Amino acid sequence: MSAMTTAATDRAAVRAELGRGTFDLLVIGGGIVGIAAAWTAAQAGLRVALVDAGDFAGATSSASTKLVHGGLRYLQTGNVRLVAENHRERRSLAADVAPHLVSPRRFIVPVYADGPHGAAKLGAGVFLYSALSAFGDGLGRVISRAHALEQVPALRTEGLKSAAVYTDHQMNDSRVAIMTVRAAVEAGAVVLNHAAVRGLRISAGRVVGADLRDALDGAEFGVAARLVLNATGPWVDRLRAMEDPAAAPSIRLSKGAHVVLRRHRPWKSAATIPIDKYRVSFAIPWEDHLLLGTTDEAYEGEPGDVRATDADIAQILDEAGTALDGLRREDVAYAFAGLRVLPGGPGDVATAKRETVITEGPGGMLSIAGGKWTTYRHIGRVVLDRLGVGAEVLKVVPLPGLAAPAAVAQRLTAAPMAPAVAAHLATHYGALALDLADLVRDDPALGEPIHPDGPDIWAQVVYARDREWAATTDDVLRRRTTLTLRGLDTPEIRSRVAEML
Ligand SMILES: Cc1cc2nc3c(=O)[nH]c(=O)nc-3n(C[C@H](O)[C@H](O)[C@H](O)COP(=O)(O)OP(=O)(O)OC[C@H]3O[C@@H](n4cnc5c(N)ncnc54)[C@H](O)[C@@H]3O)c2cc1C
């Protein structure tokens, strides 16, 4: 049986399972919010279905700044409680849930003579920030100009006085999301990507399921559920309107773009660059590159059409350039954009509070607006409450592949595998990287790099197809591997991946 028929047969089987009986919970939207909610509910023993119109993490959840953070800048808007909550969840994700996929990252905030904040204020800010995390990542403090330049060699020296230091965590967002889908499936959830909800099933005024269409082969099918969770992020009001055509808009959208830049020398820390009183621009070492961004601009268009424009790229380079030397347009490897979901209402986009809002519609559908990576567990608990299931029994469960990446990398290097490839696989798959090594043992050609300039290997394509629900070239190159974001997804590679799928 060819790989093509295997994937198609699998999808038909999943659709048949989705059509069988009544689920306790149907989650619409496979971004991190929906995925995490499905995982939590499945862990509790509920029968859970999760569907996404595109790929899992295909929208906002692969377009973030990749930080698991308390949110230093929320202190500026006085949101101390939110920061403390975020810190608690950040530390749980980094220490218990995904220590193999999430790593600590030190940030410095340069203080310039002409900058918007002075050293005393920033020093107090990072101190409070670290205190709200019970100093679990060390003490937020001010460092000298020389020390700052050692951490971030590209810092503009003119006018540089000192810098404030703090610690957060970072990850590859789409890989963490895919690993969470896997955890949900291991806990019993039935999942299907590339399957869009086209309408809700309503009986006696209650939402009792949804009608879907498979985007790959056009098949139509339905899912019945006791509770429907609308976790469609930027599309949340579209689904609310399916429930109640008179529903007033509940959110506003704000576009945030990022640039992935080739890096020519190592950085020890990331830089948080204050742009004005509220906004900052990040320059973060990530995937051997620098991740720069983000912008914050009201967005009125079709959510699926959001793109980083030339103007966005220019703005990002300009803003980062207020503190960094040597940023060049020709070093841009990739640019992307996503949409923040902000509670509706008046006020400037950049100062709007970023808290999760969960509402219940007249038909009983729950809708979530504005979840974050750090609300990973919170939404699952709300859903369980609503279904009358206590969440107390649930333990913190790690994502699949929990292991010390250094140990996994050592085993892979002995496999033998090039050290850079081994380190890459260990930090993106944890112990599941050993499954990739097995594929390479059976077929050594799968151990070849997909592109000579990047650490991804062909075995990852096979694994993405067979074990990670990848159905399209972008699923593989943009979200299961790092080819696209490194600017290495050449037409030859794209067509070879398409053949393998
Ligand atoms: C620029 C930017 C930077 C950010 N940086 C960070 C950060 O560093 N750290 C952090 O914690 N958070 C960050 N966030 C926030 C975080 O990324 C989001 O809060 C999170 O990804 C939202 O996930 P979600 O599941 O709600 O939405 P999404 O990821 O957008 O998922 C919604 C899903 O619903 C699906 N869908 C829509 N309509 C339908 C339908 N009819 N049927 C089926 N499926 C449907 C879509 O295909 C989509 O996949 C950032 C956000 C932005 C925009």
Side-chain angles (χ1 to χ4, degrees):
M1 190 187 287
S2 76
M4 191 74 186
T5 30
T6 312
T9 317
D10 285 354
R11 289 183 66 85
V14 171
R15 284 197 309 255
E17 177 64 17
L18 286 171
R20 198 173 60 75
T22 302
F23 282 83
D24 293 310
L25 174 68
L26 165 63
V27 179
I28 306 174
I32 193 56
V33 170
I35 298 169
W39 183 31
T40 311
Q43 279 172 52
L46 296 172
R47 185 161 181 251
V48 180
L50 167 70
V51 295
D52 196 285
D55 189 19
F56 299 125
T60 329
S61 298
S62 56
S64 81
T65 313
K66 331 294 179 194
L67 298 178
V68 185
H69 59 159
L72 177 65
R73 72 205 175 97
Y74 304 149
L75 289 181
Q76 181 71 10
T77 40
N79 220 330
V80 171
R81 187 180 58 83
L82 178 64
V83 173
E85 264 173 37
N86 285 350
H87 268 320
R88 197 170 50 244
E89 294 304 310
R90 168 177 69 86
R91 294 177 59 76
S92 162
L93 201 60
D96 308 320
V97 178
H100 48 315
L101 307 172
V102 173
S103 43
R105 172 58 71 190
R106 188 170 43 205
F107 286 78
I108 69 164
V109 193
V111 179
Y112 284 99
D114 57 355
H117 309 290
K121 180 178 170 196
L122 279 175
V126 294
F127 178 82
L128 172 60
Y129 192 67
S130 62
L132 288 171
S133 174
F135 303 111
D137 318 277
L139 191 69
R141 65 190 194 284
V142 174
I143 58 171
S144 70
R145 176 182 194 274
H147 192 178
L149 285 165
E150 219 174 82
Q151 298 296 309
V152 176
L155 275 184
R156 175 167 64 81
T157 50
E158 190 196 334
L160 179 64
K161 294 168 76 176
S162 59
V165 190
Y166 68 96
T167 301
D168 270 326
H169 284 80
Q170 73 177 152
M171 62 183 168
N172 181 312
D173 49 6
S174 57
R175 284 240 35 106
V176 177
I178 297 299
M179 295 290 257
T180 312
V181 175
R182 184 166 174 143
V185 170
E186 286 177 6
V190 183
V191 307
L192 194 65
N193 55 0
H194 302 291
V197 168
R198 316 252 288 172
L200 295 174
R201 293 186 169 177
I202 298 181
S203 168
R206 307 298 294 169
V207 175
V208 294
D211 291 310
L212 292 97
R213 183 167 188 277
D214 191 316
L216 301 184
D217 64 7
E220 301 200 343
F221 62 104
V223 181
R226 282 207 290 141
L227 179 66
V228 173
L229 177 67
N230 167 16
T232 55
W235 290 267
V236 70
D237 283 341
R238 302 275 169 95
L239 272 286
R240 288 177 61 249
M242 289 182 195
E243 179 186 25
D244 171 15
S250 66
I251 57 154
R252 294 173 295 150
L253 299 175
S254 147
K255 173 167 122 171
H258 287 88
V259 160
V260 181
L261 203 71
R262 279 181 278 274
R263 177 166 51 123
H264 301 292
R265 46 186 173 165
W267 287 27
K268 289 185 183 157
S269 295
T272 303
I273 303 158
I275 300 301
D276 56 32
K277 209 169 148 227
Y278 293 106
R279 285 193 54 232
V280 299
S281 173
F282 290 111
I284 308 173
W286 183 69
E287 302 292 12
D288 311 313
H289 287 62
L290 281 180
L291 180 66
L292 304 182
T294 173
T295 56
D296 202 341
E297 190 193 332
Y299 184 84
E300 311 270 341
E302 175 61 36
D305 291 342
V306 67
R307 297 280 178 280
T309 61
D310 282 341
D312 294 326
I313 296 172
Q315 180 189 340
I316 291 166
L317 292 178
D318 271 1
E319 290 184 340
T322 59
L324 301 172
D325 284 330
L327 305 180
R328 300 181 312 180
R329 183 72 176 76
E330 59 265 35
D331 283 330
V332 173
Y334 183 57
F336 57 90
L339 295 170
R340 298 180 192 85
V341 171
L342 307 173
D348 184 33
V349 182
T351 57
K353 290 208 167 116
R354 283 157 166 78
E355 288 192 79
T356 315
V357 182
I358 303 176
T359 53
E360 184 172 347
M365 178 171 75
L366 291 187
S367 291
I368 304 182
K372 295 209 59 143
W373 286 87
T374 41
T375 48
Y376 211 70
R377 299 188 297 178
H378 170 65
I379 291 149
R381 287 194 217 106
V382 172
V383 170
L384 291 185
D385 255 13
R386 176 66 175 61
L387 283 163
V389 177
E392 315 79 53
V393 294
L394 296 184
K395 300 271 177 288
V396 176
V397 179
L399 286 181
L402 176 71
V408 174
Q410 209 170 22
R411 270 176 79 180
L412 293 175
T413 311
M417 202 177 261
V421 173
H424 175 68
L425 298 184
T427 51
H428 291 69
Y429 298 79
L432 299 181
L434 300 171
D435 294 350
L436 294 164
D438 286 345
L439 289 173
V440 174
R441 193 172 320 118
D442 292 346
D443 179 0
L446 294 178
E448 294 296 318
I450 300 175
H451 189 290
D453 296 341
D456 293 296
I457 58 173
W458 287 104
Q460 291 169 261
V461 180
V462 173
Y463 198 74
R465 178 193 68 201
D466 295 345
R467 306 298 305 275
E468 297 185 330
W469 308 277
T472 73
T473 316
D474 280 332
D475 295 355
V476 174
L477 295 174
R478 168 71 172 94
R479 289 173 291 274
R480 308 299 187 282
T481 67
T482 59
L483 271 303
T484 298
L485 60 93
R486 292 171 193 267
L488 303 178
D489 55 346
T490 61
E492 299 73 46
I493 288 173
R494 296 190 74 85
S495 70
R496 200 167 150 202
V497 168
E499 270 167 38
M500 288 171 78
L501 294 174

